[in-house]
Amino acid sequence: MNKKNAGLEFAKSCRKIIFIFLPFFLISCDKKISPQFQTSLGTVCFVNLYEDGKKSIYDEIAARISEIDGEFNVNKDDSEISNVNKNAKISPVKVSDDFAFVLKTALKAAEISDGDFNPALGKLIKLWGINTENAHVPKLQEIDEAKSHCGWKKIIFDEKNQTVFLDDEEMSLDFGAIAKGFSADEIAKICKEKNVRRAIIDLGGNVLAFGKKSKNEKWNVGIKNPDAPESEVSEVVSIEEGSVVTSGNYERYFIQDGKRYHHILDGKTGFPAESGLKSVTVICGKSIFADALSTAFFVAGKEKSLALKPLFEEKFGEKIEVVFIES
Ligand code: AMP
Ligand code: MG
């Protein structure tokens, strides 16, 4: 064999080796990994894909969570929501499909609850500063001033052109009460696309159980005891699949002069909601609805919530169950 032929033979065998080993290499890159944690959306996001927990799927989920954080994080100057807020009373802003969908749902929840759920509380939320170093009880005058810029009816959403205009220059949007639910549904979509058989998605207590746990078993989701949230479960909810979301006065709060001030605000009073509840848990197929409703019901209180429940079920097209823990 001359030198040229020997070279050719060598190249051919190399190619064979690559063809044999490349698929093996790609498969081993997509190996199964342990359940993943990620700090995003202002909380710890936990996803367990069980037997289908491939690295590539976890990576796709992590990227989607980061993308949603980039849309709805009010603390990021370049987020989509910050851009809308910066353009208040200046100009309508063209928004993404994600943004339009979340806003549309938020506006529906605001309308049905008569503003108990309010996506325009940005100014009031900032003033109270709960969960920041600046958490304090503001002066009444400051509360009144901030409150006057929280009128959600001044959110002008042009669904056809997918634009948002805030008709008050001091107004700002905050999707903290709905974005985690939306994210959980988006993660469930990825699970479905990738044929994941079962998964638990827990975004800071916003839980979505995807698929059946097993042939005979249901998923058990614990509801925290509001008086001992770190150590005790006061109820266990058993579900085939779906979302379980709790809003509670123990999640984010500060104490001043012996009084607890929590993070769920009543836009009508300008103060943390006092509706006789310590927590509300909503169980529903879609996590975005469960998230919005747990907040809305927490502000509305038990009686009003139970009266509104059938209307929400009709408008959202989902069956809803609620667990109230009263003060
Ligand atoms: P959640 O824990 O889902 O009940 O949401 C609470 C978060 O939503 C707060 O940290 C605020 O960012 C925002 N928020 C507070 N009060 C309200 C309200 N009444 N309506 C809508 N969003 C609210
Ligand atoms: Mg919520």
Side-chain angles (χ1 to χ4, degrees):
M1 202 187 293
N2 62 24
K3 244 185 182 176
K4 201 174 159 196
N5 281 347
L8 263 174
E9 283 307 310
F10 178 69
K12 271 186 198 163
S13 7
C14 283
R15 218 184 300 155
K16 259 188 216 156
I17 290 170
I18 289 171
F19 278 129
I20 293 167
F21 285 104
L22 188 66
F24 175 74
F25 178 70
L26 288 177
I27 288 166
S28 58
C29 273
D30 200 8
K31 60 179 190 284
K32 278 199 197 148
I33 58 172
S34 54
Q36 295 292 293
F37 290 91
Q38 178 180 357
T39 305
S40 202
L41 308 167
T43 191
V44 177
C45 304
F46 169 77
V47 180
N48 188 349
L49 304 177
Y50 295 89
E51 54 280 352
D52 296 314
K54 290 184 200 152
K55 185 175 180 307
S56 62
I57 309 179
Y58 280 120
D59 286 350
E60 193 172 331
I61 289 170
R64 184 70 176 117
I65 292 175
S66 300
E67 183 181 27
I68 294 170
D69 188 64
E71 291 164 342
F72 301 129
N73 189 335
V74 285
N75 299 316
K76 279 188 180 161
D77 198 47
D78 60 351
S79 67
E80 197 171 7
I81 198 162
S82 293
N83 188 35
V84 170
N85 290 341
K86 274 186 249 172
N87 279 288
K89 201 75 187 176
I90 299 174
S91 69
V93 176
K94 180 100 180 152
V95 293
S96 64
D97 291 351
D98 286 352
F99 199 103
F101 178 68
V102 171
L103 178 62
K104 193 176 161 188
T105 311
L107 288 173
K108 227 188 242 182
E111 193 178 339
I112 301 170
S113 68
D114 187 27
D116 287 339
F117 183 93
N118 185 344
L121 289 184
K123 191 149 193 211
L124 205 52
I125 291 166
K126 215 171 200 166
L127 178 68
W128 279 89
I130 296 166
N131 220 31
T132 71
E133 282 173 4
N134 187 35
H136 69 291
V137 181
K139 293 190 186 103
L140 278 181
Q141 224 179 338
E142 293 173 314
I143 292 179
D144 282 343
E145 210 279 321
K147 219 171 58 172
S148 71
H149 299 293
C150 296
W152 62 273
K153 288 184 181 163
K154 288 191 173 172
I155 303 170
I156 315 296
F157 177 44
D158 179 341
E159 201 177 339
K160 200 167 140 247
N161 294 308
Q162 218 162 291
T163 61
V164 185
F165 179 66
L166 305 183
D167 195 12
D168 175 340
E169 66 181 326
E170 298 283 317
M171 174 181 280
S172 63
L173 301 181
D174 182 296
F175 289 164
I178 193 169
K180 289 201 286 284
F182 171 70
S183 308
D185 289 335
E186 291 302 295
I187 296 169
K189 266 190 206 166
I190 296 176
C191 291
K192 198 163 184 200
E193 275 164 28
K194 302 291 174 192
N195 298 316
V196 169
R197 280 161 282 182
R198 56 179 184 146
I200 277 289
I201 301 154
D202 181 348
L203 312 180
N206 188 117
V207 177
L208 194 156
F210 175 85
K212 295 245 174 341
K213 187 177 184 196
S214 69
K215 234 182 182 178
N216 311 314
E217 268 179 306
K218 288 184 173 180
W219 298 101
N220 290 321
V221 183
I223 299 177
K224 288 177 179 171
N225 175 353
D227 297 320
E230 299 310 325
S231 56
E232 276 181 39
V233 163
S234 60
E235 301 259 350
V236 175
V237 176
S238 288
I239 50 167
E240 291 280 349
E241 52 185 312
S243 195
V244 180
V245 180
T246 301
S247 285
N249 67 357
Y250 56 87
E251 292 176 309
R252 295 171 188 186
Y253 64 88
F254 67 92
I255 292 175
Q256 190 172 312
D257 301 327
K259 191 171 158 43
R260 180 200 291 231
Y261 296 90
H262 62 78
H263 71 310
I264 305 169
L265 303 178
D266 181 342
K268 288 163 192 139
T269 62
F271 279 79
E274 287 194 36
S275 59
L277 298 172
K278 285 185 176 173
S279 78
V280 179
T281 300
V282 175
I283 302 133
C284 175
K286 285 263 174 286
S287 202
I288 187 169
F289 300 146
D291 193 5
L293 288 188
S294 64
T295 311
F297 288 168
F298 187 93
V299 178
K302 189 176 167 184
E303 259 177 52
K304 182 176 172 188
S305 301
L306 289 176
L308 287 179
K309 194 170 91 81
L311 190 57
F312 272 115
E313 287 180 320
E314 186 197 320
K315 298 280 180 195
F316 287 159
E318 288 276 343
K319 189 166 165 22
I320 294 159
E321 284 178 273
V322 197
V323 179
F324 298 98
I325 297 186
E326 294 174 80
S327 301

